[in-house]
Amino acid sequence: MHEIGIMSSAMDSVLAQARANSASRVHRIVLRIGTLSGVDPDALRFAFDVVAQGTPAEGASLEIETVQARARCPDCDLEFGVASGFIFTCPKCERLCSELRQGRELELARIEIS
Amino acid sequence: MPPETDAEESPSFQIRPMSPPPAAQDPKGSLRSLELKASLLDKNDRLAERNRRYFRSRGLLALNLVSSPGAGKTTLLERTLDEFGLQVRCAVLVGDLETDNDARRLHRPHAPVAQITTGEACHLEADMVARGVEAIDLAGVKVLFIENVGNLVCPASFDLGEEVRVVLLSCTEGEDKPLKYPPIFKSAHVVLLTKVDAAAVLGFDVEVASRNIQRIAPQARLIRLSARSGEGMSEWYELIRSLGPKAI
């Protein structure tokens, strides 16, 4: 359950931003989470309810955008998406690739405040 | 009861999502959107980068050892300290939720060791490593082994500032574990298949496991070894030497 720790540091940033912008309320929080980030979105949602309690972000809507993994084949210079699974086989030459272009994101994308 | 044919169009229950209550005090009354694009692990990532700079400035090779509990991290390090550690000065930071059992197992006159007990945390973080390093004498140390908390999920997300991430898979586990826990294997520079001396008796197919590792982690160097029989250990030591600063 490292999601609680990740969510509480995210909440620190959210509340600091809200304070810096003289907002009294956080309405929406948007996260971008890569499928290879090692973080479970459901556990993040659960953690959010816990860490938001009693803060200006309590009751805010939490949106999680999933970022699908994309890899690159160095031989074909081809970037390709991986719909499911984590074996990155180049669709052109079938080489197994390790170069990840996206999919590890753990990002606080934006917030809505008032 | 509505007729069955209508059930799909107008169910007997209703769901009304509640929108957040209006702000109690909203002097401006205006909703503003802020684009942040900030990493959720920003604090850890910054501390990890600081650790990395510190290790590099000292000419120290830091390895982060990650695996499930019981995959053989401590046994591997015991033998490594007893053999490789006699030629190259090594230090160990070892993380567990509780007890200093592993630090006591690893304690050697020629190798400084410190235990990090994380309490509740299921993984090490960069600041724990920074504080752990302060607790040991790094004079002359060329290789720092960081034995992470036994966990194949959470440590994947936390950079400790290591140069090399080593993931262990033991023959007492399933051959398909790399397929089940891809993030950690994806992040590995080195994968060690441990306890290979027991593979036959366990009915563990080393070839299948190796193929699975290579499919998930084609970037990783794979070594099959046994800290008990000694098989593969010299390859492991050579790898450490090849990864480290020239002085090793």
Side-chain angles (χ1 to χ4, degrees), chain B:
Chain B
M1 279 284 282
E4 208 172 315
T5 48
D6 291 349
E8 276 182 39
E9 285 163 23
S10 54
S12 57
F13 59 85
Q14 284 190 320
I15 297 173
R16 284 188 206 177
M18 300 292 286
S19 46
Q25 291 172 330
D26 189 3
K28 289 172 193 153
S30 59
L31 203 62
R32 285 167 289 160
S33 182
L34 295 182
E35 294 291 324
L36 299 174
K37 293 187 180 158
S39 166
L40 295 185
L41 294 173
D42 185 50
K43 188 179 157 209
N44 185 75
D45 290 346
R46 273 184 290 122
L47 290 170
E49 212 41 59
R50 200 164 76 182
N51 287 348
R52 192 162 5 253
R53 281 199 303 272
Y54 176 71
F55 296 147
R56 283 181 182 166
S57 73
R58 292 194 67 106
L60 191 68
L61 174 70
L63 301 101
N64 178 8
L65 275 71
V66 188
S67 77
S68 317
K73 295 184 294 300
T74 311
T75 304
L76 173 77
L77 288 179
E78 282 180 299
R79 182 152 185 160
T80 303
L81 293 180
D82 288 340
E83 295 177 342
F84 180 76
L86 293 177
Q87 297 150 21
V88 178
R89 193 164 172 83
C90 301
V92 185
L93 287 178
V94 51
D96 280 298
L97 271 69
E98 267 304 333
T99 82
D100 61 353
N101 291 355
D102 281 1
R104 281 193 274 122
R105 272 177 65 187
L106 291 166
H107 189 251
R108 305 281 189 284
H110 59 275
V113 177
Q115 177 82 45
I116 302 171
T117 47
T118 61
E120 291 169 359
C122 50
H123 56 272
L124 289 178
E125 295 187 13
D127 64 332
M128 300 177 191
V129 168
R131 279 183 282 126
V133 162
E134 283 172 16
I136 53 180
D137 178 11
L138 286 179
V141 171
K142 294 287 175 204
V143 178
L144 173 68
F145 296 105
I146 305 167
E147 184 185 330
N148 217 312
V149 177
N151 181 339
L152 215 48
V153 181
C154 309
S157 308
F158 292 87
D159 184 5
L160 303 180
E162 75 268 22
E163 205 66 45
V164 181
R165 187 172 290 187
V166 183
V167 178
L168 285 74
L169 172 67
S170 78
C171 293
T172 52
E173 305 174 59
E175 294 96 341
D176 59 351
K177 224 161 192 183
L179 309 178
K180 290 176 173 172
Y181 297 83
I184 197 97
F185 286 93
K186 282 276 180 214
S187 73
H189 301 103
V190 177
V191 177
L192 303 179
L193 191 54
T194 63
K195 309 187 191 183
V196 289
D197 58 316
V201 80
L202 292 164
F204 182 93
D205 192 325
V206 171
E207 296 306 325
V208 169
S210 302
R211 261 202 309 280
N212 286 338
I213 292 166
Q214 279 152 358
R215 283 162 75 203
I216 287 288
Q219 78 286 354
R221 168 82 180 272
L222 172 63
I223 298 179
R224 305 170 180 185
L225 55 76
S226 163
R228 189 164 64 177
S229 73
E231 179 183 346
M233 291 301 286
S234 56
E235 198 184 337
W236 162 236
Y237 303 148
E238 276 165 34
L239 176 67
I240 301 171
R241 282 180 192 279
S242 72
L243 295 169
K246 292 188 187 90
I248 296 185

Side-chain angles (χ1 to χ4, degrees), chain A residues 46-62:
Chain A
F46 171 79
F48 171 71
D49 291 341
V50 176
V51 301
Q53 259 177 36
T55 75
E58 185 171 351
S61 74
L62 176 69

Side-chain angles (χ1 to χ4, degrees), chain A residues 28-101:
Chain A
R28 182 198 279 209
I29 298 169
V30 182
L31 305 180
R32 294 180 76 236
I33 305 296
T35 51
L36 272 174
S37 64
V39 165
D40 175 26
D42 286 337
L44 273 183
R45 285 200 180 84
F46 171 79
F48 171 71
D49 291 341
V50 176
V51 301
Q53 259 177 36
T55 75
E58 185 171 351
S61 74
L62 176 69
E63 279 175 34
I64 297 180
E65 298 176 0
T66 301
V67 183
Q68 292 295 340
R70 287 185 72 80
R72 181 181 164 271
C73 174
D75 291 349
C76 306
D77 191 22
L78 179 70
E79 195 178 308
F80 56 96
V82 188
S84 64
F86 296 95
I87 298 163
F88 301 160
T89 311
C90 174
K92 206 165 151 195
C93 72
E94 300 196 336
R95 174 185 164 152
L96 286 169
C97 304
S98 60
E99 190 186 328
L100 201 61
R101 301 311 290 257

